[in-house]
Amino acid sequence: MKKPWIGVLPLVDEGRESYWMLPGYLKGILQAGGLPVMLPLVSEDGLLEQMAKAMDGFLFTGGPDVSPGRYGSEREAFCGEGCEERDEMELRLFKKVYSRDKPALGICRGMQLANVALGGTLYQDLVAQCPSEIGHRQPSPYDAPAHSVAIVSASPLGRLLGKGEINVNSCHHQAVRGLSAHLSPMAFSPDGLVEAVYAPGKAFMWAVQWHPEFNYQVEESSRMIFGAFIRAALAGPQESGAGLP
């Protein structure tokens, strides 16, 4: 069977002027039946159009903070380092992927990026702006569960997992603050943060705040999420024609 090509957004080490990749992103896709390709960091519109057309699906990876200016906020002292090149590429590519209804999965920063691209806002730092007893930034090992999330039963994730609650790993200090009107929640942490979202009416536009790339080998729900993504990539876009307003 033909394996769908999955464009994986690159991780960037600006100090070393290099791209790099966590193997779990690639191995999770491979195990689920996809063929991952790490994309170059570019912002030329023609190249982004070619990527959006050529790939069967896209994985928006974790990484540095999305610049607050991208969602209309001033940078606070507690905001972490960003990467303007990633912001520029990913926001522009996401909008093309969304308009083409190409399947996409966002992980951690990828979920935050999707929310910002669709008009939502973020907490720049949870400890400073939304303190909680829940540990959202766990130490190693990253495949261990950090806290539970309540799954919205009527959501696509709820239908996939058939469970009302799962335990997830967690390694983030930013999170969704104002949820985009184009996204709906699929899971919440015990302190009320949105932990997973999807875009209604799209073939497959999902994002999770936790890290299936770190625990897919030991956590069935992570393998199921990768599997659902790859099945959607095999099926292709549904030609809804619903782009951004």
Side-chain angles (χ1 to χ4, degrees), residues 153-231:
S153 60
S155 71
L157 183 61
R159 293 192 291 272
L160 174 71
L161 301 181
K163 297 179 179 180
E165 181 177 289
I166 61 171
N167 291 319
V168 300
N169 53 4
S170 187
C171 190
H172 63 105
H173 85 110
Q174 296 200 317
V176 169
R177 186 170 193 169
L179 183 63
S180 164
H182 300 281
L183 296 172
S184 293
M186 297 199 292
F188 294 91
S189 59
D191 52 2
L193 288 179
V194 178
E195 289 272 342
V197 298
Y198 76 107
K202 293 297 182 181
F204 188 100
M205 184 67 70
W206 291 18
V208 297
Q209 189 59 71
W210 59 91
H211 288 270
E213 81 279 12
F214 284 136
N215 71 359
Y216 71 95
Q217 292 179 316
V218 297
E219 175 56 47
E220 182 185 17
S221 65
S222 291
R223 293 192 295 273
M224 293 174 73
I225 290 169
F226 275 124
F229 173 42
I230 298 307
R231 288 193 297 275

Side-chain angles (χ1 to χ4, degrees), residues 25-157:
Y25 290 125
L26 307 184
K27 291 181 178 180
I29 290 169
L30 281 168
Q31 187 180 83
L35 188 58
V37 179
M38 189 175 83
L39 301 175
L41 189 67
V42 297
S43 59
E44 291 88 345
D45 192 69
L47 294 177
L48 296 177
E49 281 285 354
Q50 188 171 345
M51 289 179 192
K53 182 179 180 180
M55 295 291 111
D56 298 304
F58 293 84
L59 177 63
F60 288 83
T61 53
D65 293 356
V66 179
S67 172
R70 300 287 183 168
Y71 48 93
S73 295
E74 294 291 329
R75 178 179 291 274
E76 302 286 355
F78 41 70
C79 187
E81 292 185 2
C83 178
E84 286 295 333
E85 287 183 290
R86 280 195 66 177
D87 288 351
E88 183 68 15
M89 176 185 177
E90 292 176 13
L91 287 167
R92 294 178 65 183
L93 179 61
F94 180 90
K95 292 173 182 178
K96 294 179 183 297
V97 170
Y98 184 93
S99 294
R100 285 180 174 273
D101 199 13
K102 286 292 184 81
L105 175 64
I107 292 177
C108 196
R109 168 191 160 91
M111 172 168 153
Q112 297 159 15
L113 187 285
N115 189 53
V116 170
L118 296 173
T121 62
L122 304 177
Y123 288 111
Q124 294 185 38
D125 182 75
L126 290 174
V127 173
Q129 296 179 302
C130 189
S132 168
E133 295 181 357
I134 300 298
H136 288 286
R137 199 166 193 174
Q138 74 185 88
S140 177
Y142 299 120
D143 62 351
H147 61 77
S148 64
V149 295
I151 307 296
V152 178
S153 60
S155 71
L157 183 61

